[in-house]
């Protein structure tokens, strides 16, 4: 059972927009930065978003992040078949002595 | 360029030990912590903890105390994950990842598959 809650799956057609939610609590998302990762099978996860809404160099602006209260959202516009992957949110949980926590992951299918 | 290169896949029997290495290069080793994460088959990412590159002091997440040991060798800028008393449920891909701040993993190793089977 993951500390952060994500939908198991989302789907959309190429060119469309999709959002992936990540729900937590005041001890984690509510008071800490959220990061998002894209994980393609057989590869290492890739950092897409850090500090809630910042993109590392090289990440296209089709990917965006936001946070409100104890929830965060990853948005992907102009969906491409190459976006089909698992997506994870992560943050620190201040209620834990060692508090790195992740969501269970969301499988994005591009129809 | 920043690189984290992990050791290769391992097949172990229950009760054995395994060491996974993570060789880093291309950045100041002392500035960034290295975290360890794992992904069991069909499961999501799980944070195992981190090690301070300056002090070598490890911090373990709940569930990763006792049989799991993080260590490092600054002379070769390499981190190590040792797992003892292996169990079938330790079968997973283990990743090392550089943390640019707190749970902001900007560079990852390629992953090491550890399979525990009799």
């Amino acid at each position: 059972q993951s500390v952060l809650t994500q939908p198991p799956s989302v789907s959309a057609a190429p060119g469309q927009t999709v959002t992936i939610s990540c729900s937590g609590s005041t001890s984690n998302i509510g008071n800490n930065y959220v990061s998002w990762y894209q994980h393609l099978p057989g590869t290492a996860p890739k950092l897409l978003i850090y500090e809630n809404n910042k993109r590392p160099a090289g990440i296209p602006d089709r990917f965006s992040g936001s946070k409100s209260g104890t929830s965060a959202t990853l948005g992907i516009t102009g969906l491409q078949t190459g976006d089909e992957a698992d997506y994870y949110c992560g943050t620190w949980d201040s209620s834990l002595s060692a508090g790195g926590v992740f969501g269970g992951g969301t499988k994005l299918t591009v129809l | 360029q920043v690189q984290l290169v992990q050791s290769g896949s391992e097949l172990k029997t229950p009760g054995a030990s395994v060491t996974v290495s993570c060789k880093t290069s291309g950045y100041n080793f002392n500035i960034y912590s290295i975290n360890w994460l794992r992904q069991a088959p069909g499961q999501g990412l799980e944070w195992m903890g981190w090690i301070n590159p300056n002090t070598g002091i490890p911090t373990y997440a709940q569930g990763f105390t006792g049989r799991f040991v993080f260590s490092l060798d600054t002379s070769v800028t390499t981190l190590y994950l040792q797992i003892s008393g292996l169990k079938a449920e330790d079968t997973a891909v283990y990743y090392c990842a550089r943390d640019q701040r707190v749970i902001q993993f900007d560079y990852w190793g390629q992953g090491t598959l550890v399979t525990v089977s009799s």
Side-chain angles (χ1 to χ4, degrees):
Chain A
Q1 198 79 333
S2 302
V3 172
L4 306 179
T5 301
Q6 297 180 235
S9 63
V10 297
S11 62
Q16 291 192 330
T17 296
V18 70
T19 60
I20 298 173
S21 61
C22 176
S23 177
S25 67
T26 54
S27 65
N28 44 64
I29 292 178
N31 283 285
N32 293 286
Y33 286 127
V34 176
S35 56
W36 288 91
Y37 303 86
Q38 179 190 61
H39 194 192
L40 293 157
T43 69
K46 177 195 291 186
L47 178 65
L48 289 178
I49 299 289
Y50 67 99
E51 291 181 6
N52 303 333
N53 56 19
K54 298 178 181 177
R55 286 186 308 277
I59 301 300
D61 59 7
R62 299 189 300 108
F63 295 90
S64 64
S66 65
K67 188 181 96 167
S68 178
T70 59
S71 292
T73 301
L74 174 70
I76 311 173
T77 62
L79 274 174
Q80 302 173 0
T81 55
D83 297 333
E84 192 160 288
D86 295 320
Y87 292 84
Y88 294 90
C89 57
T91 188
W92 185 260
D93 192 311
S94 307
S95 71
L96 303 173
S97 57
V101 292
F102 280 86
T106 298
K107 170 66 177 178
L108 168 62
T109 300
V110 181
L111 302 167
Chain B
Q1 73 281 24
V2 176
Q3 286 190 307
L4 280 67
V5 180
Q6 298 183 222
S7 49
S9 298
E10 301 270 8
L11 173 59
K12 297 290 184 180
T13 54
S17 297
V18 69
T19 298
V20 176
S21 65
C22 173
K23 167 67 178 171
T24 71
S25 60
Y27 71 97
N28 187 330
F29 182 78
N30 295 109
I31 292 181
Y32 300 92
S33 72
I34 290 292
N35 289 232
W36 290 94
L37 303 95
R38 79 175 180 185
Q39 184 176 35
Q43 303 297 311
L45 292 173
E46 188 173 15
W47 183 76
M48 300 173 64
W50 65 286
I51 186 164
N52 185 312
N54 291 301
T55 64
I57 295 175
T59 298
Y60 302 99
Q62 256 186 344
F64 295 100
T65 56
R67 298 189 299 114
F68 299 82
V69 176
F70 306 151
S71 61
L72 57 81
D73 184 340
T74 57
S75 68
V76 290
T77 62
T78 299
L79 299 303
Y80 303 95
L81 163 65
Q82 182 178 27
I83 311 171
S84 58
L86 282 164
K87 306 175 182 181
E89 51 262 43
D90 294 325
T91 294
V93 177
Y94 291 83
Y95 293 100
C96 60
R98 192 183 84 162
D99 198 354
Q100 66 177 21
R101 188 165 174 175
V102 178
I103 313 299
Q104 297 179 12
F105 306 125
D106 57 351
Y107 289 92
W108 295 67
Q110 80 276 22
T112 297
L113 174 61
V114 175
T115 303
V116 183
S117 175
S118 54

